[in-house]
Amino acid sequence: MITQEQIKQIATYLQDAEYEKREVVKVTASIKPDLTFDEAYLVQEEIVRMKLAEGKKIVGPKMGLTSYAKMKQMGVDEPIYGYVFDYMLIDNGGQVKLSDVIHPKVEAEIAFVMGEDVEGPGVTGAQVLAATEYVLPALEVIDSRYENFNFTFPDVVADNASTSRVVFGTALKKPDQFDLELVGTTITINGEIKELGAGASVLGHPANSVAMLANMLARKGEKVKKGDIILTGGITGAVMLSKGDVVSGKFDGLGEVTFTVVE
């Protein structure tokens, strides 16, 4: 059983790594080798508390590991989640600074803006769509704090699901305007297509990702909240970023999201 002292120790260890932009050895090889998923979420909750105490604000949750094939490969039966904070937001067309991150990768996602609370258990994708005010395109820059991307999934959960930077598109669309599972997406870097996919790669439909999030949160008496902007998970694979990269995510019917990588 993890102690409150260990929770605070691990949370500080990971938050210091993020703020100081340095790699650290994974928690399961340094502080707690037997870290479980439940304990990892306790660490994540402590990190969230620490950030809120610093005056940072939650934009909304984000989902990760939202591919059925990937879950099967990794031997888990549900995705993971973390939280996006206001300081992580980059304007569409803006700049991601390498000096602010460690080893960033970008992936394309569809974000949901919730018009109503959604509370589990038993939430379905159809219920999520009915409660969604808008959808919009996004590029998420993930940035694990662990050396050489060497980690277990409890390590990732504890590290706030590798959340780092997010660029949202500016066009808000009603979800009933689209078959979101059919929305095709490409990531282009310096004019060359690096990754492509469709909305169905996210649990068959991105709304299923939000439904699963609501059902996971219900276990601890929490819910998806009105006003949350939720990243539903990567439609594409993640691409490593380098100085000078001009990055574009194009989403059929939803528009384009861009940023430039600078030193």
Side-chain angles (χ1 to χ4, degrees):
M1 183 67 70
I2 196 167
T3 66
Q4 191 60 38
E5 183 179 349
Q6 285 177 310
I7 290 170
K8 290 184 177 180
Q9 178 188 6
I10 297 168
T12 300
Y13 176 74
L14 292 172
Q15 179 142 293
D16 286 351
E18 180 196 349
Y19 289 172
E20 295 168 15
K21 292 94 179 175
R22 57 180 174 80
E23 296 177 303
V24 292
V25 176
K26 63 186 178 182
V27 172
T28 54
S30 56
I31 300 172
K32 197 169 194 300
D34 59 348
L35 185 73
T36 67
F37 270 109
D38 287 345
E39 291 169 346
Y41 277 113
L42 293 176
V43 172
Q44 185 190 108
E45 288 168 15
E46 180 64 21
I47 288 175
V48 168
R49 277 193 290 271
M50 290 163 65
K51 290 183 188 300
L52 291 173
E54 294 166 357
K56 297 175 171 64
K57 293 181 172 58
I58 293 175
V59 173
K62 60 153 276 184
M63 292 289 276
L65 192 60
T66 49
S67 156
Y68 283 122
K70 189 74 170 176
M71 282 192 283
K72 183 176 180 181
Q73 177 188 343
M74 297 298 171
V76 296
D77 57 7
E78 64 183 13
I80 61 174
Y81 64 85
Y83 290 91
V84 177
F85 285 82
D86 52 355
Y87 75 93
M88 300 175 174
L89 300 182
I90 304 292
D91 290 339
N92 193 7
Q95 296 180 334
V96 170
K97 297 180 180 179
L98 286 180
S99 57
D100 288 342
V101 289
I102 301 168
H103 36 213
K105 297 180 178 181
V106 63
E107 56 189 30
E109 310 199 16
I110 293 174
F112 280 46
V113 181
M114 303 311 298
E116 301 172 20
D117 291 355
V118 179
E119 189 167 6
V123 175
T124 66
Q127 288 173 293
V128 166
L129 286 172
T132 300
E133 189 165 12
Y134 300 109
V135 293
L136 69 160
L139 292 174
E140 183 185 7
V141 177
I142 55 175
D143 189 29
S144 170
R145 268 55 76 168
Y146 297 118
E147 286 181 351
N148 303 316
F149 298 98
N150 180 11
F151 45 71
T152 68
F153 278 110
D155 286 306
V156 178
V157 168
D159 190 30
N160 192 26
S162 303
T163 314
S164 178
R165 297 291 181 270
V166 180
V167 188
F168 288 117
T170 51
L172 298 172
K173 305 283 188 177
K174 292 291 186 180
D176 58 7
Q177 293 179 260
F178 301 91
D179 292 321
L180 289 172
E181 73 274 27
L182 302 181
V183 170
T185 302
T186 59
I187 290 182
T188 302
I189 297 183
N190 303 325
E192 180 182 349
I193 292 177
K194 295 291 189 180
E195 287 283 338
L196 52 91
S201 61
V202 179
L203 297 173
H205 190 296
N208 294 336
S209 176
V210 181
M212 199 168 281
L213 171 65
N215 294 331
M216 293 167 73
L217 290 175
R219 294 176 200 156
K220 54 183 185 179
E222 298 181 8
K223 60 187 175 182
V224 169
K225 298 171 186 172
K226 177 180 179 178
D228 277 349
I229 306 176
I230 301 170
L231 290 173
T232 54
I235 293 173
T236 64
V239 184
M240 186 70 79
L241 295 172
S242 301
K243 178 185 173 183
D245 282 346
V246 178
V247 182
S248 168
K250 294 183 179 179
F251 300 72
D252 291 345
L254 285 174
E256 184 176 11
V257 185
T258 66
F259 65 87
T260 304
V261 182
V262 298
E263 196 151 1

